[in-house]
Amino acid sequence: MKKKGVLIVISGFSGVGKGTVVKKLIEKYHYSLSISATTRAPRAGEVDGQDYYFKSVEEFRNLIDYNGFIEWAQYVENYYGTPRKYVEEELAKGNNVILEIEVQGAMRVKEQYPDAVLIFLTAPDAANLKKRLEGRGTEDAKVIAKRLKRAYEETDDMEKYDYLVINDDLDTCVDNVNAVIVAESCKTANNREYITKTKNELKDIRKEIVS
Ligand code: 5GP
């Protein structure tokens, strides 16, 4: 029985552990994960086609011109975009699709897919967020300062999200995000095919009993 696939957008402050939460969510619950394109240089250990599709600025602009993205945004100094094809194909198959993207992109997704479910991941408090960014050791002090400034600006957008999930304990956070997805996917609006099928089956059974 085909459920309607739910498009789930996960955003959150830089350093909040989105990547780790999403990785664990996919491992444990097997959702379809969209891989973004970016002009950012790969970090140590990141693999092209697995973490991101790493593109030159020119390649990225070409993809914009060809309508290859559902949304794209500039974040700090780089471009990031969600490739259209994968998302459309997975939703058409009835699969739930996860996008891990920043706030501007999330708003553009909501405009195009009003049924998309927006989840904002946050840290227990601001000091914890700063500590996590510093502890990651992948960005220098200037970039960390920019990311914290951006986080401050993003607090205005938190209320535009449907759900807020705090990443304190990783496993609890992953299970809470999953609880949101399960609830959304149980919505009657995502189960119309089931309703029609059941109605027809009951009609047939009634006929059998009456005759
Ligand atoms: P990072 O450089 O740390 O991997 O990602 C920086 C920010 O870009 C994160 O907030 C991440 O969620 C966001 N991001 C990653 N992919 C996309 C995308 O396809 N579109 C948008 N709008 N943001 C993205």
Side-chain angles (χ1 to χ4, degrees):
M1 181 54 41
K2 203 165 147 193
K3 274 176 176 275
K4 200 170 150 225
V6 182
L7 183 56
I8 301 118
V9 178
I10 300 183
S11 305
F13 299 131
S14 178
V16 82
K18 289 187 300 282
T20 315
V21 170
V22 168
K23 192 166 171 266
K24 199 119 199 233
L25 182 76
I26 302 296
E27 273 168 19
K28 197 166 172 187
Y29 298 107
H30 311 290
Y31 296 117
S32 303
L33 176 66
S34 160
I35 298 168
S36 297
T38 183
T39 59
R40 165 167 83 55
R43 293 189 186 119
E46 283 185 333
V47 178
D48 186 43
Q50 197 174 302
D51 297 283
Y52 279 108
Y53 296 108
F54 294 102
K55 303 280 177 199
S56 66
V57 173
E58 200 191 339
E59 286 170 329
F60 196 96
R61 290 210 176 116
N62 270 336
L63 282 163
I64 297 173
D65 291 345
Y66 285 103
N67 197 26
F69 294 124
I70 286 179
E71 62 73 38
W72 63 272
Q74 194 173 3
Y75 179 85
V76 188
E77 271 137 14
N78 297 294
Y79 292 110
Y80 296 83
T82 304
R84 181 178 299 282
K85 195 165 172 272
Y86 177 79
V87 173
E88 288 184 348
E89 283 174 359
E90 289 302 301
L91 287 177
K93 285 185 215 159
N95 293 336
N96 296 334
V97 184
I98 313 277
L99 308 184
E100 192 244 288
I101 64 177
E102 53 69 66
V103 173
Q104 303 168 67
M107 296 305 129
R108 287 197 195 117
V109 170
K110 190 77 183 178
E111 282 162 24
Q112 292 170 69
Y113 297 85
D115 295 337
V117 179
L118 271 49
I119 303 176
F120 197 92
L121 284 187
T122 181
D125 56 43
N128 176 285
L129 188 67
K130 182 167 176 275
K131 212 171 95 195
R132 283 185 199 222
L133 267 176
E134 288 167 351
R136 189 155 77 174
T138 48
E139 283 94 11
D140 63 27
K142 241 169 98 183
V143 174
I144 291 176
K146 275 189 191 167
R147 287 183 177 228
L148 285 170
K149 179 172 173 274
R150 185 64 175 247
Y152 172 71
E153 291 159 5
E154 284 176 355
T155 53
D156 286 338
D157 296 309
M158 280 163 110
E159 282 195 46
K160 296 176 189 157
Y161 282 71
D162 301 302
Y163 297 91
L164 192 83
V165 179
I166 293 176
N167 184 17
D168 194 353
D169 172 69
L170 176 64
D171 289 319
T172 308
C173 179
V174 167
D175 288 343
N176 286 348
V177 170
N178 188 58
V180 168
I181 299 171
V182 171
E184 287 289 331
S185 128
C186 288
K187 276 188 167 166
T188 46
N190 291 324
N191 291 279
R192 293 255 151 78
E193 224 176 90
Y194 173 85
I195 295 171
T196 309
K197 180 177 163 278
T198 307
K199 189 171 183 175
N200 289 334
E201 285 169 356
L202 285 169
K203 203 164 142 194
D204 291 344
I205 288 174
R206 256 185 64 204
K207 269 190 218 149
E208 276 168 29
I209 294 170
V210 171
S211 60

